[in-house]
Amino acid sequence: MENSPLKVGDASAQESKKEEVKELVRMNISALQFKVLKQWGFARASLLTLPHGDVRTPVYMPVGTKGAMKGLLPKNMKDDIDCEIMLANTYHLFLKPGEEILDREGGLHKFAAWDKNYLTDSGGFQIVSLSDLNEVTEEGVTFESHIDKMKFLLTPERSMEVQNSIGADIMMALDDVVPPTITDADRLEEAMHRSVRWLDRCILAHKKPEVQNLFAIVQGGCDDDLRKICCDEMIKRNTPGYAIGGLAGGEDKEDFWRTVHTCTQLLPDDKPRYVMGIGYPVDILICSLLGADMYDCVYATRVARFGTVFTRNGEIKLRGSSNKNQFIPIDSKCQCYTCKNYTRSYLWQSFTRDSSCLQLLSLHNVYFLLDIIREFRQAILDENVEEYMTNFVTDYYITEKDGVPQWVKNALKAGGIDMS
Amino acid sequence: MLFSPLTKSKLQSSKAFLNRARQGLLKGTVSTPSYILPTNLGIIPGIMNMNLPEISPVPVQFSLADIYHLREVIEKYQSDYPSLSSQTKNQNEPNPLLSYLNHPKDTVSLLTMSTCGSDKILGNYKTMEMDIPSTIHPGNKNRLSLQDFSAAIATFKPDLFITPTHSITAKTSKKKRERAVKTSREYINPSVLNLVQDRGPQVLMTISIEESYPKISPIIDEKISQFGEKISGYFFNTHSLKPQTRFAVFQKFYERYPTDEKLRVLESSGNPTEVLENLVLNGIDLFEARYPIDVSEKHHCLAFDTEMPNEWRSTPVDTEFIKESLSNPTKTPRTLNLSRSEFRKDSTVLTSGSKSPLTNSITRSYIHHLLDCKEMNASILLTIHNIHVYDNFFKAMRSHIADNTLEIYTQWFLQTQCK
């Protein structure tokens, strides 16, 4: 990413840019509609209308890193899983195939033959997690490509340019990503403030607000005060939606749900709230109970490729020999293609013999997450969230020695469900 | 009858050129000529069954080495079956193997001794034991006896099974050839043929190179005359011969058995020119076909059309050209190597030939990108596309046999779709 940065040092220029941002905020250009259909406590059943169709929220967004879900084709995603939105990674798409190809092909939707919605992240997280060398300055992030070690500078402006080329329905602002377990409080605060400043630059650089929605990302680690400051500042920017970033990085579960809860209480009710990097079944439901609407994670497909699958009684490892003569589906209630047509025994047999098994397991895991989140959504509409959540977590942890973990009970209580 | 020829092929003629192609019906569901793809546990490598619903019904090939280890679990599955019947789509005593592997009950299943890949079954003719290399733990062999072979047939109940033989080619030594013949003779005997049932396993007798080249040996006479009615067809193990030699083999076979209308299955790669050669010149009904898979593994997509333009129907048939081209093939069907950099910016839709809803909006540029990123969806999409094109190719040939225009179709294909 050759850089075309703004000159950040000039005070009068900065003031001028702030006015431009304010003007854009006042114009309130948005390419989405978000309608809360029903609410139960903090949880909402909503309809998010994007340029490529409706999305029922809460929703889990599967991750198609390089423009494709591993082992699952667009038709599988659309017809067999009923997926309405999925993620693509800006960092990877920038490296391959590159902006030139994406512009030429008319954007990722056409390139990948996916006619439903896409969300792209900014590229910042992959740089931190994949690149051997990365250096953050006010200008941007300098990094080495993990493919060929070429050096690049990712600025907010370049991130917007690349994401405009990709053409996703939702794009994310470039944020200064630090792990939530960081002990350097100054660095954590610096990252939060910088994320706000970078959001302004993203707003200015974003060329297609009428067809692509820019979401702000709230940072601040697990520090409630920092989160409040960040939420306040980002709400002033009036973006079409907000993400809660900087979690799912090894923090304590109590800090995790509490931070989500803090943010959802502060963020506007009439806009979607996206918790980034969340992919465990219980975590998704807990966050939904606390008022979040959107989630993404590679966990479902990554563990599927190692033979771990979701069931309503927790995860199971299909490679275990106990599955050899199990002539039952992965999950008895699951209606995915895999569970309707194959037994655990067959999947155990074929796991080491053919890659189609990995596809079947990926399909199941993604379907499972979408299925439970839709059940939760229906529970909101039917006003039986308490019964649904109580039954789900009880069943999910039924094989655990200590039953439902305390953090889950605490989070449920904050959401209005008392399991004590 | 498991196999019914719908047209009688002309096996002998005084003319210089003879089109021996015919139509048939296998198990009432599979129209021939047709093809058999290699499988892993009954699955086309890397492809979920749900992604190939538009393919015409084709037989499923199971290699014994691939599924032998399933015997124990299939027997247990079968014993549990009454309680599982509500979970299957099948009715009226479905085949336990097909049910376990999620194949429709009307699937034609063919059990072979070859493996999906380059491994071949070796044998010890003195003990009649077949060494099957383990596909999971190479070097760890499972020895199978004739009894094991028979027990596997009884458990899996394939529609068709091929009598085993050694893998030999035109270059195999004389000693190994003789050993192969002896093994082949041992494995078509009453104990094996007792496995043949009216509505159950049927046997395809292997005609190996040694028994058929340079002349039809008396062993074939002996086997056919002794077991004739129990044999449902033949598996011609003649892949490694040159086309002219292969033609001579079939010529002699048909001279010996001019009224034999049994099913004819060919060991082959499935390359379209080879298919046309053996369909037109040699009267084959079923083709082993790794071709669409092999092409995908090399990052190629099939790029030939399968529908002949109407104006070609009035073109005079050049039988000399057809015979010469099929007997001495110098061209191969058109493919494109999508990993080449020239396709990086190629927005052309994969090809229009496949008509698969899964691939008909995918561009060459996108496949190139997936190959460049080593994403598994590249091979999935290429394989699906290639199988669709291949299936259309066979549909076209069947249609032209019915219309009596196969010769001009062959001419058109060789002249315009090969390079």
Side-chain angles (χ1 to χ4, degrees):
Chain A
M1 297 176 172
E2 296 84 15
N3 86 77
S4 54
L6 292 174
K7 295 294 180 189
V8 297
D10 187 315
S12 64
Q14 284 189 52
E15 206 49 47
S16 166
K17 296 298 176 192
K18 279 184 185 172
E19 288 304 314
E20 279 187 65
V21 170
K22 284 181 183 172
E23 181 55 30
L24 285 167
V25 168
R26 267 195 294 274
M27 289 171 68
N28 196 22
I29 303 172
S30 170
L32 65 78
Q33 290 177 3
F34 183 71
K35 185 177 178 185
V36 177
L37 302 174
K38 201 155 189 178
Q39 193 147 344
W40 189 96
F42 303 114
R44 312 104 69 78
S46 310
L47 193 67
L48 173 63
T49 301
L50 291 168
H52 283 84
D54 289 341
V55 178
R56 292 160 284 174
T57 66
V59 66
Y60 163 71
M61 301 179 285
V63 181
T65 304
K66 297 170 190 172
M69 288 291 296
K70 286 182 172 37
L72 298 174
L73 305 179
K75 184 177 181 295
N76 302 140
M77 297 303 294
K78 189 174 166 183
D79 296 341
D80 304 306
I81 293 177
D82 196 14
C83 174
E84 294 161 338
I85 180 169
M86 61 182 188
L87 228 85
N89 288 124
T90 300
Y91 170 82
H92 289 288
L93 291 170
F94 158 72
L95 294 176
K96 290 183 180 183
E99 284 165 278
E100 182 196 356
I101 299 296
L102 288 166
D103 282 333
R104 183 190 172 89
E105 296 289 327
L108 185 62
H109 285 92
K110 284 187 180 171
F111 189 55
W114 172 248
D115 62 2
K116 296 226 169 191
N117 298 293
Y118 269 122
L119 182 149
T120 47
D121 64 344
S122 62
F125 179 77
Q126 274 73 38
I127 288 172
V128 169
S129 61
L130 289 173
S131 178
D132 284 340
L133 170 66
N134 62 81
E135 183 190 354
V136 181
T137 63
E138 188 61 25
E139 194 171 20
V141 186
T142 305
F143 67 98
E144 274 184 3
S145 158
H146 72 291
I147 295 174
D148 56 13
K149 303 296 181 191
M150 276 190 66
K151 279 196 179 166
F152 298 97
L153 169 63
L154 176 62
T155 64
E157 293 76 16
R158 284 297 287 130
S159 178
M160 294 298 102
E161 280 178 6
V162 177
Q163 291 189 73
N164 283 151
S165 290
I166 294 171
D169 304 85
I170 298 175
M171 27 193 277
M172 305 308 294
L174 182 67
D175 54 341
D176 186 358
V177 182
V178 295
T181 50
I182 193 171
T183 53
D184 184 346
D186 289 340
R187 178 70 187 102
L188 183 64
E189 183 168 359
E190 177 195 46
M192 184 274 287
H193 286 293
R194 180 171 289 138
S195 297
V196 176
R197 292 193 296 274
W198 280 3
L199 173 61
D200 285 345
R201 288 166 61 185
C202 288
I203 291 171
L204 284 175
H206 179 21
K207 293 286 181 283
K208 301 178 184 176
E210 66 285 350
V211 293
Q212 290 182 269
N213 299 284
L214 174 63
F215 277 25
I217 305 179
V218 176
Q219 291 289 350
C222 298
D223 186 318
D224 283 357
D225 291 335
L226 290 180
R227 288 280 178 178
K228 282 175 188 164
I229 294 169
C230 198
C231 281
D232 283 345
E233 287 300 318
M234 294 201 164
I235 291 168
K236 289 176 190 173
R237 272 75 179 168
N238 198 24
T239 53
Y242 298 93
I244 302 167
L247 293 175
E251 73 277 10
D252 186 83
K253 283 294 199 190
E254 295 284 356
D255 288 332
F256 159 69
W257 73 259
R258 182 179 49 72
T259 304
V260 170
H261 191 43
T262 297
C263 293
T264 56
Q265 300 309 293
L266 294 167
L267 291 170
D269 292 332
D270 61 345
K271 295 195 176 180
R273 304 160 183 157
Y274 163 30
V275 186
M276 304 181 81
I278 305 300
Y280 298 145
V282 170
D283 291 11
I284 288 174
L285 292 178
I286 291 287
C287 289
S288 299
L289 184 69
L290 297 175
D293 308 296
M294 302 165 70
Y295 318 95
D296 81 283
C297 194
V298 297
Y299 184 74
T301 43
R302 186 168 289 170
V303 294
R305 294 196 291 276
F306 290 94
T308 297
V309 289
F310 299 135
T311 76
R312 284 156 201 273
N313 300 129
E315 293 178 6
I316 62 170
K317 294 187 187 328
L318 270 180
R319 297 188 72 175
S321 57
S322 61
N323 294 298
K324 183 180 175 184
N325 291 317
Q326 290 278 307
F327 303 128
I328 55 174
I330 293 173
D331 184 275
S332 59
K333 290 185 182 175
C334 185
Q335 295 297 302
C336 77
Y337 173 81
T338 305
C339 288
K340 286 167 75 175
N341 291 283
Y342 296 98
T343 62
R344 295 187 187 188
S345 171
Y346 169 82
L347 295 167
W348 181 86
Q349 300 280 356
S350 72
F351 184 80
T352 53
R353 289 176 174 267
D354 196 82
S355 63
S356 63
C357 182
L358 311 183
Q359 299 166 35
L360 290 169
L361 301 187
S362 292
L363 188 153
H364 164 78
N365 276 1
V366 172
Y367 186 99
F368 183 91
L369 289 181
L370 281 168
D371 198 30
I372 62 168
I373 201 75
R374 286 188 183 139
E375 285 180 349
F376 179 82
R377 185 177 187 271
Q378 191 60 44
I380 298 172
L381 294 172
D382 295 341
E383 297 180 2
N384 64 346
V385 173
E386 182 166 0
E387 181 188 353
Y388 178 79
M389 285 299 291
T390 305
N391 289 341
F392 186 90
V393 299
T394 304
D395 290 340
Y396 195 79
Y397 292 107
I398 201 161
T399 60
E400 297 290 325
K401 189 180 70 168
D402 298 324
V404 179
Q406 190 58 48
W407 77 266
V408 173
K409 291 181 183 176
N410 293 342
L412 286 172
K413 193 166 186 180
I417 299 173
D418 193 345
M419 276 191 77
S420 55
Chain B
M1 288 292 289
L2 188 66
F3 174 71
S4 306
L6 300 179
T7 54
K8 276 206 166 181
S9 52
K10 294 177 184 174
L11 298 180
Q12 292 197 91
S13 170
S14 58
K15 294 180 182 174
F17 174 79
L18 176 61
N19 177 355
R20 289 189 169 127
R22 64 177 182 174
Q23 285 180 285
L25 199 60
L26 191 57
K27 204 178 174 182
T29 57
V30 176
S31 297
T32 61
S34 188
Y35 57 95
I36 314 166
L37 295 168
T39 66
N40 292 329
L41 286 186
I43 298 289
I44 295 167
I47 306 294
M48 294 190 287
N49 281 350
M50 67 200 293
N51 285 337
L52 287 172
E54 288 83 17
I55 293 296
S56 321
V58 291
V60 175
Q61 178 174 357
F62 299 102
S63 94
L64 187 59
D66 187 36
I67 67 167
Y68 183 73
H69 71 289
L70 288 181
R71 271 191 60 204
E72 184 190 327
V73 73
I74 293 294
E75 283 164 5
K76 185 164 186 357
Y77 180 75
Q78 191 170 17
S79 70
D80 286 359
Y81 193 80
S83 66
L84 296 173
S85 59
S86 60
Q87 294 184 24
T88 71
K89 319 184 277 284
N90 301 324
Q91 298 172 3
N92 307 320
E93 288 296 320
N95 178 295
L97 175 66
L98 294 180
S99 174
Y100 179 80
L101 297 176
N102 188 39
H103 282 277
K105 71 175 174 64
D106 56 2
T107 298
V108 178
S109 54
L110 172 66
L111 184 65
T112 78
M113 294 296 288
S114 64
T115 57
C116 178
S118 58
D119 299 319
K120 283 288 185 180
I121 306 301
L122 305 176
N124 183 330
Y125 75 97
K126 288 184 181 175
T127 60
M128 291 190 300
E129 291 178 345
M130 307 295 278
D131 290 334
I132 295 184
S134 167
T135 55
I136 298 178
H137 303 291
N140 182 9
K141 296 179 180 179
N142 295 313
R143 282 184 170 267
L144 294 192
S145 65
L146 180 60
Q147 287 73 25
D148 288 326
F149 172 67
S150 304
I153 305 286
T155 298
F156 297 133
K157 299 183 177 61
D159 292 305
L160 292 161
F161 65 92
I162 298 174
T163 56
T165 185
H166 282 272
S167 172
I168 57 173
T169 69
K171 297 178 183 173
T172 305
S173 69
K174 187 169 183 233
K175 189 175 174 184
K176 284 186 181 176
R177 286 163 172 267
E178 288 170 355
R179 189 168 70 202
V181 170
K182 192 170 166 62
T183 304
S184 175
R185 174 194 259 155
E186 302 289 355
Y187 269 79
I188 183 124
N189 64 50
S191 69
V192 169
L193 291 169
N194 282 341
L195 301 168
V196 173
Q197 298 169 20
D198 277 344
R199 290 186 178 213
Q202 307 274 307
V203 67
L204 294 176
M205 190 178 90
T206 303
I207 307 283
S208 68
I209 296 174
E210 179 58 24
E211 295 164 321
S212 53
Y213 174 74
K215 58 180 182 177
I216 301 291
S217 83
I219 296 173
I220 295 182
D221 278 340
E222 182 188 322
K223 285 196 267 191
I224 292 177
S225 68
Q226 192 175 358
F227 306 115
E229 286 310 307
K230 283 218 165 187
I231 297 170
S232 290
Y234 308 102
F235 177 74
F236 292 96
N237 195 354
T238 53
H239 178 52
S240 65
L241 297 177
K242 290 180 182 173
Q244 298 105 314
T245 315
R246 189 159 42 234
F247 178 73
V249 165
F250 282 97
Q251 191 79 335
K252 290 185 192 308
F253 187 86
Y254 294 136
E255 280 170 7
R256 189 74 65 90
Y257 310 106
T259 60
D260 192 319
E261 294 289 351
K262 294 188 180 67
L263 179 65
R264 302 166 200 146
V265 184
L266 184 73
E267 178 200 29
S268 72
S269 68
N271 181 302
T273 50
E274 188 184 331
V275 167
L276 283 169
E277 171 220 326
N278 287 283
L279 176 67
V280 174
L281 301 183
N282 300 326
I284 295 297
D285 304 301
L286 270 184
F287 296 82
E288 277 193 325
R290 278 202 61 87
Y291 180 75
I293 314 293
D294 286 345
V295 168
S296 307
E297 288 176 356
K298 292 173 185 160
H299 302 165
H300 285 237
C301 71
L302 298 185
F304 52 83
D305 286 333
T306 56
E307 288 184 15
M308 182 181 76
N310 276 333
E311 54 265 28
W312 268 80
R313 288 178 181 260
S314 53
T315 305
V317 176
D318 184 348
T319 55
E320 279 304 311
F321 165 79
I322 295 172
K323 189 169 181 184
E324 178 58 28
S325 299
L326 295 180
S327 302
N328 295 295
T330 55
K331 293 183 178 179
T332 54
R334 285 209 300 262
T335 65
L336 297 171
N337 180 355
L338 295 182
S339 62
R340 291 171 62 90
S341 58
E342 68 197 77
F343 294 108
R344 184 168 168 264
K345 298 181 183 180
D346 188 337
S347 302
T348 314
V349 171
L350 202 51
T351 70
S352 58
S354 75
K355 298 189 178 70
S356 162
L358 287 161
T359 59
N360 63 5
S361 54
I362 300 290
T363 62
R364 296 173 185 179
S365 172
Y366 183 61
I367 297 289
H368 176 85
H369 159 66
L370 292 177
L371 288 168
D372 193 29
C373 294
K374 297 182 173 46
E375 286 282 316
M376 71 166 76
N377 285 20
S379 72
I380 295 172
L381 287 165
L382 277 175
T383 302
I384 289 171
H385 164 81
N386 288 345
I387 290 174
H388 269 272
V389 175
Y390 198 71
D391 194 65
N392 289 342
F393 173 63
F394 270 83
K395 278 184 183 140
M397 287 191 293
R398 289 195 291 270
S399 172
H400 284 286
I401 293 172
D403 290 348
N404 213 21
T405 51
L406 182 66
E407 287 162 25
I408 193 60
Y409 179 81
T410 303
Q411 184 174 323
W412 163 78
F413 190 88
L414 293 171
Q415 285 185 348
T416 66
Q417 305 306 310
C418 297
K419 58 180 180 183

